[in-house]
Amino acid sequence: MKNILDLPAERDLPPRAAHAMRVRILCSVRSRPARTPRLRVAVAGVVLLAVVSGAAAVVWQRPDRSTVQVLAMGSGELSPTLQDAAERCLQWNSPQPQTRQNPSEQPVPMSLADLAVAIERGDRALVLFMNDVGYATCDVEWVGTARESGGGATDPWPHGEWLPGPVQRLLLTSTDHDGGDVIASGRVSRRVHRLVLDHGDGHTTAARLSGGAFGLMTSDARLRAGNDPELVSYDAEGTEIDRRPLFQAEDELEHCFAGPDGKRIYGTPTSGCRPAERWRG
């Protein structure tokens, strides 16, 4: 977030995707040789990006072989691979400068107890830690092997417990720049009791909710931004309370969101901001 290394050639996206994501390089990508750690900008065609709102997004090449998908909500559900990925992420975000990917970056204090979402797909794992201070996230490939590589990011919450409405997307990954197989995670407000991804073509994917966090993964390679996929939130009575585009950044949402004092804290200025909502975590 604070230092930007030389941009890799792979960063260039088609104009539509570049405008929608409004990306900047979020953090360096790290490769761990057998003995001496070092930094490098891109590994195996993977680039870690961030939209202006602070949500992270990753795009990776679709694996040629079929893959197994695992979704865990919390440290008690971890597979051995996800356990290794979570521990590696904690190491990368350690308060010790010599263990961090970006020594100038101020890490958010995290422990394994703060793990909210962990997703494993083939040889890649994504982990998301959240607590009252902020969040940390890592993308790890070939974890626990000599080929291990990946990237990470950590940031305090810009507005504490206040969300831009019922849901805040923190992570978005896809096999294509505008769709394909999708993985998403983030946090939800106290009103949300059910969250689904509406693919826009008659298909839906239900997210798992736990402790104010959500995680979902699709295996529908037909999912495309052109179909206007949306995250849809429901309250305890099953009433729809929010619907927002999956691939849209917070500063591009249709409505702005204001805190209890009426001051706008999310989104572009518009008349009559909607109230920000409290995180249920």
Side-chain angles (χ1 to χ4, degrees):
M1 280 95 63
K2 303 206 172 45
N3 290 339
I4 300 178
L5 302 181
D6 294 337
L7 299 177
E10 297 98 308
R11 76 188 187 283
D12 295 328
L13 298 175
R16 176 175 178 175
H19 174 74
M21 296 179 71
R22 300 175 68 181
V23 297
R24 60 183 173 81
I25 292 296
L26 177 63
C27 63
S28 59
V29 177
R30 179 182 185 276
S31 176
R32 186 174 64 87
R35 293 184 179 271
T36 305
R38 63 187 177 88
L39 297 177
R40 63 180 181 180
V41 177
V43 179
V46 178
V47 182
L48 190 60
L49 307 172
V51 297
V52 175
S53 64
V58 182
V59 178
W60 71 80
Q61 295 179 350
R62 181 189 305 279
D64 293 330
R65 60 184 178 82
S66 61
T67 58
V68 176
Q69 300 179 349
V70 179
L71 173 62
M73 307 293 290
S75 58
E77 303 178 355
L78 295 179
S79 68
T81 302
L82 289 177
Q83 177 81 24
D84 288 346
E87 292 174 354
R88 178 64 63 220
C89 190
L90 290 175
Q91 180 183 7
W92 288 345
N93 287 296
S94 167
Q96 302 301 320
Q98 65 269 23
T99 64
R100 298 204 305 264
Q101 292 174 298
N102 187 348
S104 66
E105 192 176 76
Q106 293 301 313
V108 176
M110 292 287 174
S111 71
L112 194 61
D114 296 316
L115 184 68
V117 179
I119 299 173
E120 179 182 358
R121 179 180 175 84
D123 300 315
R124 187 173 303 282
L126 292 175
V127 292
L128 172 64
F129 295 85
M130 300 192 302
N131 59 27
D132 292 339
V133 179
Y135 75 95
T137 181
C138 292
D139 162 46
V140 190
E141 187 177 20
W142 298 101
V143 63
T145 73
R147 302 172 62 184
E148 182 181 287
S149 60
T154 179
D155 223 0
W157 301 121
H159 304 292
E161 63 181 340
W162 297 105
L163 310 182
V167 62
Q168 183 177 41
R169 194 202 72 208
L170 295 173
L171 283 171
L172 174 65
T173 75
S174 60
T175 52
D176 300 318
H177 66 82
D178 64 345
D181 296 345
V182 166
I183 293 174
S185 61
R187 55 181 186 163
V188 296
S189 77
R190 299 174 180 180
R191 287 203 297 158
V192 178
H193 285 255
R194 182 169 175 256
L195 179 69
V196 302
L197 171 61
D198 183 343
H199 297 204
D201 60 359
H203 295 82
T204 61
T205 299
R208 287 185 60 191
L209 302 177
S210 177
F214 79 84
L216 67 84
M217 54 171 46
T218 77
S219 57
D220 184 1
R222 298 168 299 175
L223 192 150
R224 287 288 179 269
N227 292 332
D228 300 323
E230 297 176 302
L231 288 173
V232 187
S233 305
Y234 299 87
D235 64 15
E237 285 71 42
T239 302
E240 180 179 314
I241 57 176
D242 185 76
R243 181 178 288 264
R244 62 185 60 194
L246 176 68
F247 291 99
Q248 197 169 58
E250 285 173 358
D251 64 338
E252 296 178 337
L253 295 174
E254 181 180 356
H255 302 281
C256 59
F257 296 88
D261 59 359
K263 182 179 179 181
R264 179 181 59 85
I265 57 177
Y266 288 106
T268 55
T270 60
S271 60
C273 287
R274 294 183 175 182
E277 297 192 23
R278 215 181 277 272
W279 179 28
R280 64 184 285 186

